[in-house]
Every structure is written in C-alpha cells, then in structure tokens.
Amino acid sequence: MKIISSAGFRKPSFLLVHNELSAFTLRKPQPAYASSLWISSAHEKRLGLVRKLQCSVTARQYASTSVRSTPKPEKAHLRRKEGGSSSLYGRTSLLEMKNERMENRARVYEFLKGIGVSPDELDGLELPVTVEVMQERVDFLHKLGLTVEDINNYPLVLGCSVKKNMIPVLDYLGKLGVRKSTFTAFLRHYPQVLHASVVVDLAPVVTYLQGMDIKPNDIPRVLEKYPEVLGFKLEGTMSTSVAYLVGIGVARREIGGILTRYPEILGMRVGRIIKPFVEYLESLGVPRLAVARLIENRPHILGFGLEERVIPNIASLLEFEVREMSLASMIAQYPDMIGIDLKPRLLSQRSFLNSVIDLGPEEFGRVVEKMPQIVSLNHSPVVKHVDFLIDCGFSLEQVRKMVVVCPQLLALNLDIMKLNFDYFQSKMGRALDDLVTFPAFFTYGLESTIKPRHKMVAEKGLKCSLTWLLNCSDEKFEERMSYDTIDVEEMEMDSSFDMNTLMEPRGDESASDYDDSDDEYV
C-alpha cells in the first residue's frame, strides 16, 4: 500500500495559482482510489485550509470578473426580469413611463402648434396620449363650428373627451330643445359647459329654472340667450336677484316672463348691480314701484351700466337744457334712452331740428322732455311731417311752436294726421290757430273720440276750445256735458306724462314675502 506524503502541501501559494482548480468548485476532491487511502488527521487539517483558500480565491476572481465585464443594459434588464422585481427595476420603469408620456405629450403639442393652437395653457391638463385622439377632438370641435381662434380663447376645451363629455352634454341640450343651429354661439359664450356633468350640474339648473315659472318650452330660449346660467349655483346669485325684484314690487307672476326675456338678471349681483340701479332712478324722482313696473316691461334696462352709461347720459341731458324735474317722466316714457350712446344723438338731433324748423337750444330741451324718443327718430320721416304741416297752411314759425308744444307731430302716422285735418277743415270749421294752440288734436282717434265729442258739443250749441273738448277722459267729458257753462280753468289742463299710470295697483298682487333690507344685499 502506498502512503501519500503531505510534503506536496508545504507551499500553499502553489495552490493559489493552480489552473486546474475551478472557480466555482468547492466540493471535496474525490481521489481515484479513496478506498485504499488513509489520510492522517494532519493531512485533513491542511486539506481544509486549502479549501478555505480556494473559496477566497474564487470569491475574489468572481468579484474581479464582475467589475471588468459589466453586462449591457438590455441583458441586465432581462436578467432582472428573470430574477424577479427589485427596487432598482421599479424606479427605472417609472422613469421610462414618464419619459414616454413626455414624448407623447410633445408630439401632441407639435400637432396643435401645426394647426395654429397654442398649447401654453395646457400644462397640467390631462390630454390624449396620441395625436390621433387629439385630432378627433379638434375635428369634432370644428364640426360644431368652433374655429382655431375659438379654441385658443378657451384651450381647456381640448381636455374634454368627445365620447365622455361633449356628446352627452350636447345630446342633453338637444333633448331640451336647444337648436343645433345655435350650438356654435352657445359654445363660444360658454365652452365650460362641455366639462359639466349632465346629472350633477345641468339637470338641477334646468329644474330650478322651471321652478321660477319659466315655461318648459321657453327653457331652450333662455339657455340660448344666456348659456352661462348653467354654471350658477342654485342658492347663490339667482335666488337673491329674484328675491330683491319681488321685494321692490315686481309682481311674482311676472318673474317667469322677465327671466325668459332677459335671463341675464340671474347672474347679476344685487348689491353691485340691481340695487344701485334702482336707488339711482329713485334719486332722480322715479318712485320705486314705477321702477318695478319698468323692469316688468323692459327687464333689459337692468343691464345698462350705471357708472359707464346711465350716469353720463343723465349728465348729457342736463347739458342739453333738459330740466332736472323732467328726468323722471322722461325715463318712465323712454327708459331705453339712458342705455344708448346718448350725447352724439343729442348733438345730431339738435343740429338737425335747428336746420329744419329753426329750433333753438332751450326749445330743443323742451322737445326732448316731452318726447324723449326724439333722440332716436330718423331724419327723413321728420322732414315729411314738417312738409305736411307746411302744406296744410301753417307757417314755419307756427310749425316750430306746434312741435315745441307737441313733439309727437314729428312721429305720428301721416295718414291719420291727414284724416284728422280733413275733418277739422270740412266739419269743425275752426281756424288754424286752434291747431297751433292745441296741436295734440292730431294724436286723437277720429272715429273713437273726435267725431262723437264734436257732435255732442255741436248739438248742445257749446263753444269750446279743442283742449276742453279732447284733453280729458270719456267719463270726464260726460260730466262736462252736464255743465251749463264752460270752466275756463279746465281748458288749461296739463297734457304731460302722468307717472301714476305706471303705478296703478294690480288686482292679483299680494304683499311681498321678501324683506328689502339694506344689509341683506351687499
């Protein structure tokens, strides 16, 4: 039996560089004739030392190899996938996703810039991830009539999905009765509607409007006139504006009609717009109840800018010789006057009437007081009326006097004026001076008033002025027919506008349920 000596292991350094040792082989070597060998304990200890040294060398070689030959990113990615997820893998994936989103958004931005849409305001807005989807949205908006300029005015509309936002909203409006032909104007005024929820935002507002006595058939017209109403809170401005109007005397039964004709009232702040307007008219001498009647008849007057338009117009009237005491009756007769660009019209009409009938500045002021609509009359009809009076035999001086007393002569129906004048000449046998004194004769109905009253006076043999004959109610005239003599004072009745006609009580009105306190509306 051969005994292997341990002398071969004296120098461990020899083993450290032995090429035949595998870097990954840590198993105990298997001798070919293990059954015939007997290894001493000293030999076993040295063999264990060799194994430890082999392990150390193997670890160092592996580490050195890893540093020298770093795997490519693609292979590393695959190995991580095969080996399972790790924190490093997760961070890299999120970064890649973020970069991909940025690349997609950049492509969408380039597309928008290419068609003329500025994407500057779209940062932070959720947009389609592909150009194709954005193209679909833009095409749909174009089909609705919106231009690139419209989109640039409200670029956030590009954040609305065609299927989830636009189509449901437009379908709902169509079912309500909003005409498709008005969709373009509707969206230009209020493109925010495309962001709304039909159930949560739109339907409750429509229900609220119906509760304001707006008829269901009128709801579409209200929305077409003022689409912004769909964005108002139910218990906010809408309710307070209506409450204030009822508080100043607007009949509750008129609210539905008022809002139908001028729904913009629903968006007006009471303390900033409605209340100051009402109080200013009161300061000019228009009673509050008369203001309420004006609002019932012409609700759009609430839209006249108080500081921008109304107050400057009142100043212009005073500048053109209109007396302050006449302002209230003028506003009651023609409230639209305080909402137009008034001063240029006053200048034009004063110059025109001066050239036609030699009307002076102070006389022009009296004309405007009695018929404020004169500021809106076209020149051509005025010339025709003046020519008619001249043809009737009146001098230019007489025409001027007649116009100052009764400016309505410049706006009456010429055919009616001719019939009245023919009857005056052929049946009444009066002098032209009677018409100069009472030119309002031309304003009365021939068959309803002039003929029957003239016959009654003629049958009784009374001699009276045209003023006494015509300037009174039918009841008053019947009373006069019982007189034996004519009261001279009754011949001088004032024919100016009566403010009380605006404030006649309504039979269906009841006391207001709203308290008009100064502290409530600010």
Side-chain angles (χ1 to χ4, degrees):
M1 179 178 65
K2 295 180 181 180
I3 299 176
I4 299 176
S5 172
S6 61
F9 297 93
R10 291 178 182 175
K11 297 181 180 180
S13 59
F14 172 78
L15 297 175
L16 293 176
V17 293
H18 201 288
N19 292 332
E20 295 179 359
L21 293 176
S22 172
F24 296 95
T25 304
L26 304 181
R27 297 193 305 267
K28 178 181 177 181
Q30 299 292 332
Y33 306 100
S35 58
S36 62
L37 295 177
W38 178 83
I39 302 176
S40 66
S41 60
H43 175 72
E44 288 292 342
K45 291 179 181 180
R46 290 179 180 179
L47 185 59
L49 177 60
V50 172
R51 290 173 180 168
K52 291 180 181 180
L53 292 173
Q54 286 177 336
C55 290
S56 176
V57 172
T58 300
R60 290 176 184 177
Q61 289 177 339
Y62 179 73
S64 176
T65 304
S66 300
V67 172
R68 288 194 305 268
S69 58
T70 303
K72 295 182 180 180
E74 293 80 0
K75 294 182 178 179
H77 177 67
L78 292 174
R79 289 175 185 172
R80 282 193 294 271
K81 291 187 67 175
E82 293 172 359
S85 62
S86 67
S87 60
L88 179 60
Y89 168 65
R91 286 194 297 271
T92 303
S93 294
L94 290 175
L95 180 61
E96 290 175 353
M97 292 171 63
K98 181 179 179 180
N99 290 336
E100 184 178 358
R101 286 196 299 268
M102 292 177 64
E103 291 173 0
N104 290 336
R105 196 175 190 91
R107 284 191 288 269
V108 171
Y109 276 17
E110 287 300 319
F111 163 73
L112 293 176
K113 291 177 182 178
I115 63 174
V117 176
S118 174
D120 295 342
E121 299 182 29
L122 299 179
D123 292 342
L125 182 69
E126 185 177 352
L127 294 178
V129 297
T130 64
V131 172
E132 290 74 18
V133 177
M134 180 57 77
Q135 176 77 63
E136 179 189 8
R137 291 188 186 182
V138 172
D139 290 344
F140 190 80
L141 293 172
H142 284 336
K143 289 180 182 179
L144 294 174
L146 298 183
T147 63
V148 170
E149 181 181 358
D150 297 325
I151 297 174
N152 279 324
N153 289 335
Y154 187 72
L156 299 182
V157 73
L158 295 174
C160 297
S161 167
V162 173
K163 295 180 180 179
K164 295 180 181 179
N165 300 105
M166 300 185 192
I167 291 178
V169 168
L170 296 175
D171 282 348
Y172 177 72
L173 294 176
K175 290 177 182 178
L176 286 176
V178 176
R179 294 166 294 181
K180 290 185 178 179
S181 60
T182 68
F183 277 177
T184 302
F186 192 105
L187 295 176
R188 282 176 178 163
H189 280 94
Y190 189 58
Q192 295 89 335
V193 71
L194 294 178
H195 294 286
S197 164
V198 171
V199 176
V200 177
D201 302 317
L202 306 185
V205 173
V206 171
T207 301
Y208 185 84
L209 294 176
Q210 292 174 339
M212 289 285 186
D213 294 332
I214 299 177
K215 298 177 182 178
N217 292 338
D218 291 330
I219 293 291
R221 306 293 86 80
V222 169
L223 298 181
E224 290 173 1
K225 290 179 183 177
Y226 192 53
E228 293 90 338
V229 72
L230 290 172
F232 293 155
K233 294 181 180 180
L234 302 184
E235 299 304 325
T237 303
M238 291 196 291
S239 60
T240 56
S241 60
V242 171
Y244 179 81
L245 292 179
V246 174
I248 67 171
V250 173
R252 281 191 291 261
R253 68 178 181 82
E254 298 290 337
I255 291 295
I258 290 172
L259 297 180
T260 298
R261 284 176 286 156
Y262 195 67
E264 289 86 349
I265 291 175
L266 293 170
M268 292 180 177
R269 297 293 297 271
V270 171
R272 296 180 182 177
I273 300 177
I274 303 178
K275 191 171 185 284
F277 179 85
V278 171
E279 291 178 347
Y280 182 74
L281 294 190
E282 285 185 288
S283 72
L284 297 177
V286 184
R288 175 167 289 203
L289 188 56
V291 176
R293 295 292 177 268
L294 291 176
I295 293 173
E296 290 177 1
N297 296 328
R298 292 177 176 84
H300 62 273
I301 66 175
L302 289 173
F304 298 159
L306 181 59
E307 299 292 337
E308 303 82 5
R309 185 69 75 187
V310 177
I311 293 177
N313 279 346
I314 296 299
S316 296
L317 290 172
L318 296 175
E319 180 184 343
F320 280 79
E321 306 293 341
V322 171
R323 294 170 295 183
E324 189 172 349
M325 65 180 185
S326 300
L327 291 173
S329 64
M330 293 170 61
I331 293 171
Q333 290 182 72
Y334 188 43
D336 288 339
M337 174 185 62
I338 61 176
I340 61 178
D341 190 6
L342 186 57
K343 190 169 184 176
R345 298 196 184 195
L346 289 169
L347 283 168
S348 174
Q349 294 298 69
R350 185 175 68 177
S351 175
F352 169 70
L353 292 176
N354 177 260
S355 66
V356 174
I357 57 176
D358 196 24
L359 197 67
E362 185 175 348
E363 291 171 327
F364 177 73
R366 303 294 82 75
V367 168
V368 175
E369 287 177 2
K370 293 178 180 179
M371 193 182 77
Q373 295 88 343
I374 191 76
V375 300
S376 298
L377 285 183
N378 292 327
H379 292 176
S380 179
V382 171
V383 172
K384 291 181 179 179
H385 284 76
V386 171
D387 290 343
F388 165 74
L389 294 174
I390 296 294
D391 292 341
C392 289
F394 298 102
S395 66
L396 189 61
E397 174 67 16
Q398 288 176 321
V399 171
R400 183 181 61 79
K401 290 181 179 180
M402 294 169 70
V403 169
V404 172
V405 174
C406 182
Q408 289 79 6
L409 291 178
L410 301 177
L412 294 172
N413 186 300
L414 274 177
D415 292 333
I416 293 177
M417 291 181 70
K418 290 175 182 179
L419 291 174
N420 284 8
F421 185 73
D422 290 343
Y423 185 82
F424 175 84
Q425 276 192 318
S426 62
K427 301 297 181 181
M428 301 182 73
R430 291 174 175 266
L432 289 180
D433 286 341
D434 288 350
L435 291 178
V436 175
T437 303
F438 187 68
F441 170 84
F442 289 101
T443 66
Y444 289 89
L446 179 61
E447 298 297 332
S448 62
T449 304
I450 296 175
K451 280 185 178 182
R453 291 191 183 186
H454 170 68
K455 289 181 180 179
M456 292 176 67
V457 170
E459 290 173 359
K460 199 169 183 180
L462 295 175
K463 298 290 183 179
C464 65
S465 67
L466 291 178
T467 304
W468 190 92
L469 177 69
L470 299 174
N471 193 17
C472 63
S473 64
D474 289 339
E475 292 78 11
K476 183 64 177 179
F477 183 76
E478 291 291 341
E479 182 182 342
R480 287 178 176 179
M481 287 294 95
S482 64
Y483 297 166
D484 293 329
T485 58
I486 297 175
D487 189 347
V488 177
E489 292 183 358
E490 291 185 322
M491 297 173 59
E492 304 298 332
M493 292 181 63
D494 186 13
S495 60
S496 61
F497 178 79
D498 184 6
M499 184 72 69
N500 291 326
T501 58
L502 278 178
M503 299 184 290
E504 295 176 354
R506 297 173 182 266
D508 58 348
E509 287 186 1
S510 59
S512 172
D513 294 333
Y514 301 94
D515 179 22
D516 178 29
S517 63
D518 290 339
D519 297 333
E520 184 177 356
Y521 307 101
V522 293

